[in-house]
Amino acid sequence: MFHPRRTLRALLLPLTAGLALTALPAQTAQAASTLTNGGFESDGAGSAAPTGWSEYGSTGASYSESGGHGGSYRLSHYSSSAYKVETYQYLSGLTNGNYTLTAWVRSGGGQNSAYISLKNCGSSEQRTNLPVSASGWIRVVTSVAVTNNQCTISINSDANAGNWINVDDLTFASGSTGTSIKGSDVSSLAKSEALGGTYRTSSGTTGDALAILKSAGQNYARVKVWVSPKDGYNTKTQVLALAKRIKAQGMKLLVDFHYSDTWADPGAQTVPSAWSGHSYSQLKTDVYNHTYDVLNALKAQGTTADMVQVGNEINGGMLWNVGSTSNWSQLAGLLNSGYDAVKAVSSSTQVALHLAKGGDLTGTRWWFDNAVSNGVKFDVIGLSYYGYWHGSLADFQTTLDDAAARYGKPVFVAETAYPFRLDSDDSYENIIDLSSELVSGYPATTAGQTRWMNDVASIVEAVPNGRGLGVFYWESTWTAVTGNGWDPTDATSGNGWENQALFDYDNKAQPAMAWFSHR
């Protein structure tokens, strides 16, 4: 049972509405140079103020109880009435430098805020919100620069009646964390603009979508390449033009090769019409030449790709049936042909392999174990992770951490997204349009969309050994524009994704763009 329950004492400190939890003078706390009782094991269950920790606010809502992540006990915040409480520990005598707080957490969600933070450290306070995860424990990190030889470790809840969190196994050690990729896929942009699509800042001023994304903190753009699509978009021509704009914004560029004339994903990896009927040997040459041609043209115009995906969501392989996972030696040959072409153009360009298995530990291991045993060359692992399809946040963390450790490679989220509303802005039904399809704790609101992105980014940030590179939001600019639908062969097809764009139905920048400034 994950909802902590206990008999609550009367609140010792009734809180007025505006009382800040940060106002407590630090010297009243127990001072130490190392974290005391980070596992909450010292007192057993029912301790109102765990050894080494102090409390402020609705102190009856903070206590230790049975059911730890590592040991037998944990810290919980819970009350049957609304509460605000801080559980904190003041450290002094620290050597100045970068420090990282690591914690294992769970949350039932619903709070106004629930976070761990490092404050009074001499630099600006750093926070990490607790992801909503009612059953599986999730590891989160927060890092800060200590410049005044002290720091306060804080666990905060501003909660409604019945809300709860569990926190356990905290460590505080030298080191820093963060993510280097705050990206989005903008593949739909050129066609949208050609058909009259416009983009506006949050205040309503019309502008360049890439400039608006950049100003929000986006630093990397992902663009797909099709071979001979029926609508003439997402070809080398558009990629070259878009790459100039992306690089002019100071962003890096990820080129995503689908090796198809249309969507390549776990359900479809259709050979391009120009390569139809080609043998395995011919297809290896096709992959090499196409990859080299696009990337060399990018390099020639001064917009060299920073990262390349050889294939898109290739759970079952690519260029079916020749390159399916039922013939790993041939799939390996095709993937290595793409890798070799990338490196022939630019040895510094990173090659990623991309699966749609964000919460599937067994499937990810199976795929990459086969890739490694068949000699497939790659630099980075990319996973799609959509919470309404690919398992829980805890499953996602387990899969991501394992991939980084097992294969010794950096990892990133190649695709994720979340709806800010459920209704459509065109006549086409949205892919996610029912509340029953949502992830528990993440409503289809601007706040829910923002929270989802920050929590996914926090899990990537927490990948050990700095191997979590960051996140790409999928199709930030794909708003509802007549003619810019799903099917490149059908100009009347609609868009099932506009409720998950980063621009709203008035074409304004969404509050969720705030996730681009994630640490």
Side-chain angles (χ1 to χ4, degrees), residues 280-316:
Y280 164 59
S281 174
Q282 287 173 300
L283 285 172
K284 279 202 298 183
T285 302
D286 293 331
V287 167
Y288 186 96
N289 289 345
H290 171 61
T291 306
Y292 186 94
D293 177 50
V294 173
L295 297 178
N296 195 50
L298 284 166
K299 181 182 178 181
Q301 71 171 12
T303 58
T304 301
D306 298 282
M307 192 187 295
V308 168
Q309 281 180 220
V310 176
N312 187 77
E313 295 191 331
I314 49 177
N315 297 9

Short mmCIF file of all heavy atoms in Angstrom, two decimals, residues 280-316:
data_model
loop_
_atom_site.label_atom_id
_atom_site.label_comp_id
_atom_site.label_asym_id
_atom_site.label_seq_id
_atom_site.Cartn_x
_atom_site.Cartn_y
_atom_site.Cartn_z
N TYR A 280 19.91 -7.05 -51.19
CA TYR A 280 20.58 -6.60 -49.96
C TYR A 280 21.84 -5.81 -50.29
O TYR A 280 22.09 -4.73 -49.74
CB TYR A 280 20.90 -7.82 -49.08
CG TYR A 280 21.90 -7.55 -47.98
CD1 TYR A 280 21.67 -6.58 -47.01
CD2 TYR A 280 23.09 -8.27 -47.92
CE1 TYR A 280 22.59 -6.34 -46.01
CE2 TYR A 280 24.02 -8.03 -46.92
CZ TYR A 280 23.77 -7.07 -45.97
OH TYR A 280 24.69 -6.83 -44.97
N SER A 281 22.63 -6.32 -51.21
CA SER A 281 23.87 -5.65 -51.59
C SER A 281 23.59 -4.26 -52.17
O SER A 281 24.28 -3.27 -51.84
CB SER A 281 24.62 -6.50 -52.62
OG SER A 281 25.75 -5.81 -53.10
N GLN A 282 22.58 -4.17 -53.01
CA GLN A 282 22.22 -2.87 -53.59
C GLN A 282 21.71 -1.90 -52.52
O GLN A 282 22.02 -0.71 -52.54
CB GLN A 282 21.14 -3.05 -54.67
CG GLN A 282 21.62 -3.68 -55.96
CD GLN A 282 20.46 -3.98 -56.90
OE1 GLN A 282 19.55 -4.75 -56.56
NE2 GLN A 282 20.45 -3.35 -58.07
N LEU A 283 20.90 -2.44 -51.58
CA LEU A 283 20.34 -1.59 -50.53
C LEU A 283 21.45 -1.03 -49.62
O LEU A 283 21.35 0.12 -49.17
CB LEU A 283 19.31 -2.36 -49.70
CG LEU A 283 17.95 -2.57 -50.38
CD1 LEU A 283 17.08 -3.50 -49.54
CD2 LEU A 283 17.24 -1.24 -50.62
N LYS A 284 22.48 -1.81 -49.38
CA LYS A 284 23.62 -1.28 -48.60
C LYS A 284 24.22 -0.07 -49.32
O LYS A 284 24.54 0.95 -48.68
CB LYS A 284 24.70 -2.36 -48.41
CG LYS A 284 24.41 -3.32 -47.28
CD LYS A 284 25.66 -3.99 -46.76
CE LYS A 284 26.35 -4.82 -47.83
NZ LYS A 284 27.53 -5.53 -47.26
N THR A 285 24.36 -0.17 -50.62
CA THR A 285 24.89 0.95 -51.41
C THR A 285 23.91 2.12 -51.41
O THR A 285 24.32 3.29 -51.30
CB THR A 285 25.17 0.49 -52.85
OG1 THR A 285 26.10 -0.60 -52.81
CG2 THR A 285 25.75 1.62 -53.67
N ASP A 286 22.60 1.83 -51.53
CA ASP A 286 21.58 2.88 -51.49
C ASP A 286 21.65 3.67 -50.18
O ASP A 286 21.61 4.90 -50.18
CB ASP A 286 20.18 2.26 -51.63
CG ASP A 286 19.92 1.64 -52.99
OD1 ASP A 286 20.51 2.11 -53.98
OD2 ASP A 286 19.11 0.70 -53.05
N VAL A 287 21.73 2.94 -49.07
CA VAL A 287 21.79 3.58 -47.75
C VAL A 287 23.03 4.47 -47.66
O VAL A 287 22.95 5.63 -47.23
CB VAL A 287 21.78 2.53 -46.61
CG1 VAL A 287 22.18 3.17 -45.28
CG2 VAL A 287 20.42 1.87 -46.50
N TYR A 288 24.15 3.95 -48.10
CA TYR A 288 25.39 4.72 -48.04
C TYR A 288 25.28 5.98 -48.89
O TYR A 288 25.55 7.10 -48.42
CB TYR A 288 26.58 3.87 -48.51
CG TYR A 288 27.91 4.59 -48.32
CD1 TYR A 288 28.69 4.35 -47.19
CD2 TYR A 288 28.37 5.53 -49.25
CE1 TYR A 288 29.90 5.02 -46.99
CE2 TYR A 288 29.57 6.21 -49.06
CZ TYR A 288 30.32 5.95 -47.93
OH TYR A 288 31.50 6.61 -47.73
N ASN A 289 24.86 5.82 -50.14
CA ASN A 289 24.84 6.96 -51.07
C ASN A 289 23.86 8.04 -50.63
O ASN A 289 24.17 9.24 -50.70
CB ASN A 289 24.51 6.48 -52.49
CG ASN A 289 25.65 5.69 -53.11
OD1 ASN A 289 26.78 5.73 -52.63
ND2 ASN A 289 25.36 4.98 -54.18
N HIS A 290 22.66 7.63 -50.21
CA HIS A 290 21.64 8.58 -49.76
C HIS A 290 22.11 9.34 -48.52
O HIS A 290 22.00 10.57 -48.43
CB HIS A 290 20.34 7.82 -49.48
CG HIS A 290 19.27 8.62 -48.81
ND1 HIS A 290 18.69 9.74 -49.38
CD2 HIS A 290 18.65 8.45 -47.60
CE1 HIS A 290 17.76 10.22 -48.55
NE2 HIS A 290 17.73 9.46 -47.47
N THR A 291 22.65 8.61 -47.55
CA THR A 291 23.14 9.22 -46.31
C THR A 291 24.27 10.19 -46.61
O THR A 291 24.28 11.34 -46.15
CB THR A 291 23.60 8.13 -45.33
OG1 THR A 291 22.55 7.17 -45.14
CG2 THR A 291 23.99 8.72 -43.99
N TYR A 292 25.22 9.73 -47.42
CA TYR A 292 26.38 10.56 -47.77
C TYR A 292 25.93 11.81 -48.53
O TYR A 292 26.40 12.93 -48.25
CB TYR A 292 27.38 9.76 -48.60
CG TYR A 292 28.67 10.51 -48.87
CD1 TYR A 292 29.77 10.35 -48.03
CD2 TYR A 292 28.77 11.39 -49.94
CE1 TYR A 292 30.95 11.06 -48.26
CE2 TYR A 292 29.94 12.10 -50.18
CZ TYR A 292 31.02 11.93 -49.34
OH TYR A 292 32.18 12.64 -49.55
N ASP A 293 25.01 11.63 -49.47
CA ASP A 293 24.57 12.74 -50.32
C ASP A 293 23.96 13.87 -49.49
O ASP A 293 24.33 15.04 -49.65
CB ASP A 293 23.55 12.21 -51.33
CG ASP A 293 22.98 13.32 -52.22
OD1 ASP A 293 23.77 14.09 -52.78
OD2 ASP A 293 21.75 13.40 -52.32
N VAL A 294 23.03 13.52 -48.60
CA VAL A 294 22.37 14.55 -47.79
C VAL A 294 23.37 15.22 -46.85
O VAL A 294 23.44 16.45 -46.75
CB VAL A 294 21.20 13.94 -46.99
CG1 VAL A 294 20.62 14.95 -46.00
CG2 VAL A 294 20.12 13.43 -47.94
N LEU A 295 24.17 14.41 -46.16
CA LEU A 295 25.09 14.96 -45.16
C LEU A 295 26.22 15.76 -45.79
O LEU A 295 26.66 16.77 -45.24
CB LEU A 295 25.65 13.84 -44.28
CG LEU A 295 24.61 13.09 -43.44
CD1 LEU A 295 25.29 11.98 -42.65
CD2 LEU A 295 23.87 14.04 -42.50
N ASN A 296 26.70 15.31 -46.95
CA ASN A 296 27.77 16.04 -47.61
C ASN A 296 27.27 17.39 -48.13
O ASN A 296 28.01 18.40 -48.09
CB ASN A 296 28.35 15.21 -48.76
CG ASN A 296 29.69 15.75 -49.23
OD1 ASN A 296 30.59 15.99 -48.42
ND2 ASN A 296 29.82 15.96 -50.53
N ALA A 297 26.01 17.42 -48.60
CA ALA A 297 25.43 18.69 -49.03
C ALA A 297 25.28 19.64 -47.84
O ALA A 297 25.51 20.86 -47.97
CB ALA A 297 24.08 18.44 -49.70
N LEU A 298 24.91 19.11 -46.69
CA LEU A 298 24.82 19.94 -45.47
C LEU A 298 26.20 20.50 -45.11
O LEU A 298 26.34 21.69 -44.81
CB LEU A 298 24.27 19.11 -44.30
CG LEU A 298 22.76 18.85 -44.32
CD1 LEU A 298 22.40 17.76 -43.33
CD2 LEU A 298 21.99 20.14 -44.01
N LYS A 299 27.20 19.64 -45.16
CA LYS A 299 28.56 20.07 -44.83
C LYS A 299 29.04 21.15 -45.82
O LYS A 299 29.64 22.15 -45.42
CB LYS A 299 29.51 18.87 -44.86
CG LYS A 299 30.96 19.19 -44.52
CD LYS A 299 31.81 17.94 -44.61
CE LYS A 299 33.28 18.25 -44.33
NZ LYS A 299 34.11 17.01 -44.45
N ALA A 300 28.73 20.97 -47.11
CA ALA A 300 29.19 21.89 -48.15
C ALA A 300 28.62 23.30 -47.96
O ALA A 300 29.26 24.29 -48.34
CB ALA A 300 28.83 21.36 -49.53
N GLN A 301 27.43 23.40 -47.38
CA GLN A 301 26.84 24.72 -47.16
C GLN A 301 27.15 25.26 -45.76
O GLN A 301 26.61 26.28 -45.34
CB GLN A 301 25.34 24.72 -47.42
CG GLN A 301 24.51 23.97 -46.39
CD GLN A 301 23.01 24.18 -46.57
OE1 GLN A 301 22.55 24.69 -47.59
NE2 GLN A 301 22.23 23.78 -45.57
N GLY A 302 28.01 24.56 -45.04
CA GLY A 302 28.45 25.05 -43.73
C GLY A 302 27.52 24.74 -42.59
O GLY A 302 27.55 25.39 -41.55
N THR A 303 26.68 23.69 -42.75
CA THR A 303 25.73 23.32 -41.70
C THR A 303 25.86 21.82 -41.39
O THR A 303 24.88 21.08 -41.44
CB THR A 303 24.28 23.64 -42.11
OG1 THR A 303 23.98 22.93 -43.32
CG2 THR A 303 24.09 25.13 -42.34
N THR A 304 27.07 21.40 -41.08
CA THR A 304 27.33 19.98 -40.81
C THR A 304 26.42 19.45 -39.70
O THR A 304 26.23 20.11 -38.68
CB THR A 304 28.81 19.79 -40.40
OG1 THR A 304 29.63 20.27 -41.46
CG2 THR A 304 29.13 18.33 -40.12
N ALA A 305 25.87 18.26 -39.91
CA ALA A 305 25.02 17.63 -38.89
C ALA A 305 25.85 17.31 -37.64
O ALA A 305 26.97 16.82 -37.74
CB ALA A 305 24.39 16.36 -39.44
N ASP A 306 25.27 17.59 -36.48
CA ASP A 306 25.94 17.27 -35.21
C ASP A 306 25.65 15.84 -34.77
O ASP A 306 26.49 15.21 -34.13
CB ASP A 306 25.47 18.25 -34.14
CG ASP A 306 25.84 19.68 -34.50
OD1 ASP A 306 27.01 20.05 -34.33
OD2 ASP A 306 24.96 20.42 -34.99
N MET A 307 24.47 15.36 -35.11
CA MET A 307 24.10 13.98 -34.80
C MET A 307 23.23 13.46 -35.93
O MET A 307 22.52 14.23 -36.59
CB MET A 307 23.35 13.89 -33.47
CG MET A 307 23.17 12.46 -32.95
SD MET A 307 22.09 12.34 -31.46
CE MET A 307 23.07 13.24 -30.26
N VAL A 308 23.28 12.16 -36.16
CA VAL A 308 22.49 11.52 -37.21
C VAL A 308 21.85 10.26 -36.65
O VAL A 308 22.51 9.47 -35.96
CB VAL A 308 23.38 11.17 -38.43
CG1 VAL A 308 22.64 10.24 -39.40
CG2 VAL A 308 23.84 12.43 -39.14
N GLN A 309 20.59 10.06 -36.95
CA GLN A 309 19.93 8.79 -36.68
C GLN A 309 19.97 7.95 -37.94
O GLN A 309 19.43 8.35 -38.98
CB GLN A 309 18.46 8.99 -36.30
CG GLN A 309 18.22 9.43 -34.89
CD GLN A 309 16.74 9.60 -34.63
OE1 GLN A 309 16.35 10.54 -33.96
NE2 GLN A 309 15.91 8.70 -35.17
N VAL A 310 20.58 6.78 -37.86
CA VAL A 310 20.54 5.81 -38.95
C VAL A 310 19.29 4.94 -38.70
O VAL A 310 19.33 3.95 -38.00
CB VAL A 310 21.83 4.98 -39.02
CG1 VAL A 310 21.73 3.91 -40.10
CG2 VAL A 310 23.03 5.89 -39.29
N GLY A 311 18.18 5.40 -39.26
CA GLY A 311 16.91 4.72 -39.06
C GLY A 311 16.06 5.40 -37.99
O GLY A 311 16.58 6.08 -37.11
N ASN A 312 14.75 5.21 -38.08
CA ASN A 312 13.80 5.83 -37.16
C ASN A 312 12.91 4.77 -36.52
O ASN A 312 12.21 4.04 -37.23
CB ASN A 312 12.92 6.83 -37.91
CG ASN A 312 12.03 7.63 -36.98
OD1 ASN A 312 12.49 8.55 -36.31
ND2 ASN A 312 10.75 7.29 -36.95
N GLU A 313 12.96 4.66 -35.20
CA GLU A 313 12.16 3.68 -34.44
C GLU A 313 12.26 2.29 -35.07
O GLU A 313 11.27 1.68 -35.46
CB GLU A 313 10.70 4.15 -34.34
CG GLU A 313 10.56 5.42 -33.52
CD GLU A 313 9.13 5.79 -33.17
OE1 GLU A 313 8.20 5.44 -33.95
OE2 GLU A 313 8.92 6.42 -32.12
N ILE A 314 13.49 1.80 -35.12
CA ILE A 314 13.78 0.56 -35.85
C ILE A 314 13.69 -0.68 -34.95
O ILE A 314 14.52 -1.57 -35.00
CB ILE A 314 15.16 0.63 -36.56
CG1 ILE A 314 16.27 1.11 -35.60
CG2 ILE A 314 15.06 1.57 -37.76
CD1 ILE A 314 17.66 1.13 -36.23
N ASN A 315 12.61 -0.74 -34.16
CA ASN A 315 12.37 -1.90 -33.29
C ASN A 315 12.47 -3.20 -34.07
O ASN A 315 13.02 -4.19 -33.59
CB ASN A 315 10.97 -1.84 -32.67
CG ASN A 315 10.75 -0.64 -31.77
OD1 ASN A 315 11.58 0.26 -31.71
ND2 ASN A 315 9.64 -0.63 -31.07
N GLY A 316 11.86 -3.21 -35.26
CA GLY A 316 11.83 -4.42 -36.08
C GLY A 316 12.79 -4.37 -37.25
O GLY A 316 12.65 -5.12 -38.22
#
